[in-house]
Amino acid sequence: AQKITQTQPGMFVQEKEAVTLDCTYDTSDPSYGLFWYKQPSSGEMIFLIYQGSYDQQNATEGRYSLNFQKARKSANLVISASQLGDSAMYFCAMRAIRGYQKVTFGTGTKLQVIP
Amino acid sequence: DAGVTQSPTHLIKTRGQQVTLRCSPKSGHDTVSWYQQALGQGPQFIFQYYEEEERQRGNFPDRFSGHQFPNYSSELNVNALLLGDSALYLCASSLYAAWVFGPGTRLTVL
């Protein structure tokens, strides 16, 4: 079984500042992938970044980086230089690597960027 | 290249009715999964289809059923609707590991 925990229901950040969204996970699968998705009020899940459990380096995608600490089972998302358009729900998720395994989501963090 | 498309966008039904939601996967994708997202919650896995067969199922009652067609498109059917079925229903498609989500269908049960 897989479990994702996001302990921050809501976060505020000043425009142009960096923010870290926390995510911890639990799984018995030896190989897995960790994802972050952004969900604006429109509802669509937008893929942001992916980290494989065996990747040696932390993933980065533009202003997004994933702080992966395998021993602590954490996969925090760092957004640098926040923009007003970053205001949205953010979901941490994971899936086993083998086969077409389902994606397990956390409860999400609502990020609001303040001008 | 169109991504995952879903129809309808919004739907209002009454308790006891039946509903069918539709999903067209991203071009080239052969696997479709359906998720239910209640207000203020993360998406919950309903089931997954590959080669027109249900491969995996989450913790949802038999009132939730699905189908995948030869062109990989999919339908989600919900019978005997309950108030608690009101949610955003998301469809996602994949070829290998990367899952792409559609915009969702917002179902309201009155």
Side-chain angles (χ1 to χ4, degrees):
Chain A
Q2 300 170 344
K3 185 176 181 181
I4 295 284
T5 302
Q6 294 180 256
T7 58
Q8 305 157 313
M11 291 278 288
F12 289 92
V13 64
Q14 203 77 34
E15 193 178 7
K16 300 180 184 178
E17 297 292 313
V19 63
T20 298
L21 306 184
D22 295 340
C23 172
T24 58
Y25 63 91
D26 194 18
T27 181
S28 57
D29 292 296
S31 300
Y32 51 89
L34 295 154
F35 304 79
W36 277 91
Y37 287 88
K38 173 184 178 181
Q39 188 178 43
S41 56
S42 60
E44 186 168 2
M45 274 298 175
I46 302 169
F47 166 75
L48 296 178
I49 195 166
Y50 168 82
Q51 176 85 41
S53 59
Y54 286 101
D55 292 342
Q56 295 298 315
Q57 292 189 328
N58 287 342
T60 60
E61 289 286 346
R63 295 187 298 111
Y64 304 107
S65 60
L66 198 152
N67 184 2
F68 179 48
Q69 298 186 47
K70 193 172 183 178
R72 298 180 62 182
K73 295 188 175 181
S74 73
N76 298 338
L77 176 70
V78 180
I79 305 174
S80 62
S82 296
Q83 302 171 357
L84 295 178
D86 294 334
S87 294
M89 284 291 290
Y90 288 81
F91 290 94
C92 181
M94 73 179 302
R95 55 152 286 179
I97 293 297
R98 71 178 191 282
Y100 291 92
Q101 298 298 314
K102 68 177 183 178
V103 178
T104 299
F105 287 84
T107 52
T109 295
K110 184 173 183 178
L111 177 67
Q112 295 187 62
V113 180
I114 305 168
Chain B
D1 176 27
V4 178
T5 60
Q6 292 185 243
S7 64
T9 306
H10 295 85
L11 203 52
I12 299 175
K13 292 285 188 179
T14 57
R15 281 179 297 175
Q17 284 190 311
Q18 178 264 344
V19 69
T20 297
L21 310 182
R22 295 177 176 81
C23 170
S24 291
K26 181 178 171 65
S27 178
H29 286 188
D30 58 3
T31 304
V32 172
S33 288
W34 287 91
Y35 292 79
Q36 180 196 64
Q37 186 178 18
L39 197 62
Q41 302 294 319
Q44 298 293 313
F45 175 75
I46 302 175
F47 43 52
Q48 182 182 105
Y49 278 86
Y50 173 69
E51 293 188 340
E52 303 178 50
E53 289 191 3
E54 183 182 293
R55 288 165 54 109
Q56 277 190 295
R57 189 179 183 89
N59 188 26
F60 279 81
D62 292 343
R63 297 186 297 109
F64 290 77
S65 63
H67 189 76
Q68 185 179 34
F69 299 94
N71 66 353
Y72 306 123
S73 67
S74 177
E75 288 182 350
L76 163 65
N77 301 292
V78 187
N79 294 322
L81 284 167
L82 304 174
L83 295 179
D85 295 331
S86 294
L88 179 68
Y89 288 84
L90 294 164
C91 173
S93 72
S94 170
L95 180 57
Y96 295 111
W99 286 97
V100 178
F101 283 81
T105 294
R106 194 167 295 278
L107 172 65
T108 301
V109 182
L110 302 176

